[in-house]
Amino acid sequence: MLVGLLEKGMFVSRLDRDWVGTPFPFQGFFIESEKDVELLGNYCTSVFIDVVKSNAPAEPLLTLGRNGKSVFPPRVQEYRNTVDLHDELPRAREAHASARKLAQRLEADVRGSRRLVAGDIHDAVEPMVESLIRNVDAFFWLMALLRRDDYAYSHAVHCSALAAAFGRHLALPREVLVDLATGGMLLDIGKAALPEELFKHPGPLSPEAVVAMRSHVAEGLKVFDESGLHGVWARDILAGHHERHDGSGYPNGLKGDQIPLAARMGGIIDTYDAICSDRPHAKGASRHVALQAVYRASDKLYQGEVVEQFLQCLCVYPTGSLVELSSGEVGIVMAQNQARRLRPRVMLLLDADKRAYRPYRDIDLMAVERDAGGSTAVRIVTSLEPGAHGLDPAALFLA
């Protein structure tokens, strides 16, 4: 849509240029005044409007890619949080424990050459999906507070939850969310069939080791097919999460829309969580930095439209992000405000002098959007790296 035709209430989801180098938040934003339109006009000729989030009429461009082809299936089930975060936490904790036990058992079964049981996988994945449907923040808040003591197990659970949450954001049917969560859980299961030292090597791999490492995709598909699982979305994730938009991926060098949508989603999810995680060769970065890394690879490694929806799904400061506010206080993002994505709910940990709050304070930045004089009140000014100011959310017993 041409900038001159924009109206108050429309949600801008994409520009006709890169977000980098503009003052606009790359997760999208609402047009709130004529000044917003004027500022956009200084950078863009046209923009893309998300009609689902907009409060004003617009052309239905959300599911169309840059080539005019449909990228996403029609939205069939809109999800809204139906349970408060704190009320959902006990069920989210139970679902997380079940999913983690499953991840441990799956790896042990594959290493022991035992066939996976499809029913066991669904029994563990479905409660997690139901929790995410009731309140999408509770599960991610809980994940932020639990220590990652093993990359393989944590990565499996996190990718499973991220896949279901991404599907929820795209308004896909519940059965597809379960399928996506299953694919996320099994995304790297083929690695369990390979020598452990291959994935714990701290430096660059030899050409022979690279070939062996890449064989985990075929090994994973073998495990999947022998388990009796039949989900198309799940299998697509396993088969294609290392394919890349520009054709540089493996195992088949697929490019563009040759890659199934579930695989395009899985590739982004896999990369995002890996960047956030401590691994033998790299320390985990902040969620904000991980999103920026994925965004910079738009239309190269990952399809731009899918990246944009992933950014909108998690928001610019994903739940669990350590952030500093304009007040100088430091906190951790607890939950998102979908109407104002830069104003989430935050648990304050440190005051302006970086002294610990006792007790910790829960603040909704949406509720303090304006002070008494009408000027902008407290806001997030930056994302902090994990461990900043000596803070370890897993040691603070916030849940």
Side-chain angles (χ1 to χ4, degrees), residues 249-273:
Y250 66 89
N252 297 314
L254 302 179
K255 63 189 302 184
D257 56 13
Q258 293 176 332
I259 307 170
L261 175 58
R264 282 174 263 162
M265 295 165 65
I268 292 170
I269 288 164
D270 181 38
T271 299
Y272 167 79
D273 188 69

Side-chain angles (χ1 to χ4, degrees), residues 132-342:
L132 287 162
I133 287 175
R134 288 189 296 266
N135 187 302
V136 73
D137 292 299
F139 202 90
F140 288 111
W141 171 242
L142 183 66
M143 289 197 308
L145 306 183
L146 297 176
R147 197 176 303 282
R148 296 188 180 200
D149 53 358
D150 186 283
Y151 173 70
Y153 305 152
S154 296
H155 187 58
V157 175
H158 289 198
C159 287
S160 183
L162 285 165
F166 198 177
R168 181 189 193 272
H169 170 75
L170 296 175
L172 300 176
R174 178 195 174 280
E175 59 271 19
V176 174
L177 304 192
V178 173
D179 208 5
L180 287 168
T182 300
M185 179 66 71
L186 300 177
L187 181 138
D188 280 337
I189 193 62
K191 291 181 178 180
L194 302 174
E196 290 186 65
E197 57 270 18
L198 189 64
F199 301 95
K200 295 182 178 179
H201 193 279
L205 297 175
S206 67
E208 294 78 15
V210 169
V211 172
M213 181 272 294
R214 291 185 172 185
S215 72
H216 81 272
V217 174
E219 293 290 345
L221 288 173
K222 180 180 176 182
V223 169
F224 182 91
D225 292 337
E226 291 177 349
S227 72
L229 291 164
H230 301 289
V232 174
W233 292 76
R235 197 180 193 282
D236 282 346
I237 289 180
L238 268 70
H241 66 280
H242 284 295
E243 301 288 356
R244 293 296 179 255
H245 187 65
D246 60 5
S248 63
Y250 66 89
N252 297 314
L254 302 179
K255 63 189 302 184
D257 56 13
Q258 293 176 332
I259 307 170
L261 175 58
R264 282 174 263 162
M265 295 165 65
I268 292 170
I269 288 164
D270 181 38
T271 299
Y272 167 79
D273 188 69
I275 294 173
C276 293
S277 305
D278 289 336
R279 292 167 288 165
H281 60 282
K283 186 171 178 59
S286 72
R287 292 163 175 79
H288 182 71
V289 166
L291 283 180
Q292 289 180 317
V294 170
Y295 175 74
R296 285 195 295 271
S298 293
D299 292 322
K300 303 179 187 74
L301 302 183
Y302 315 107
Q303 185 176 10
E305 292 84 1
V306 183
V307 170
E308 287 162 8
Q309 289 304 313
F310 185 65
L311 298 182
Q312 289 190 29
C313 172
L314 294 190
C315 300
V316 67
Y317 300 109
T319 300
S321 298
L322 197 63
V323 295
E324 184 165 347
L325 308 184
S326 56
S327 61
E329 297 165 298
V330 173
I332 183 170
V333 176
M334 295 179 68
Q336 303 296 328
N337 280 315
Q338 296 301 318
R340 292 291 184 273
R341 292 167 177 261
L342 292 176

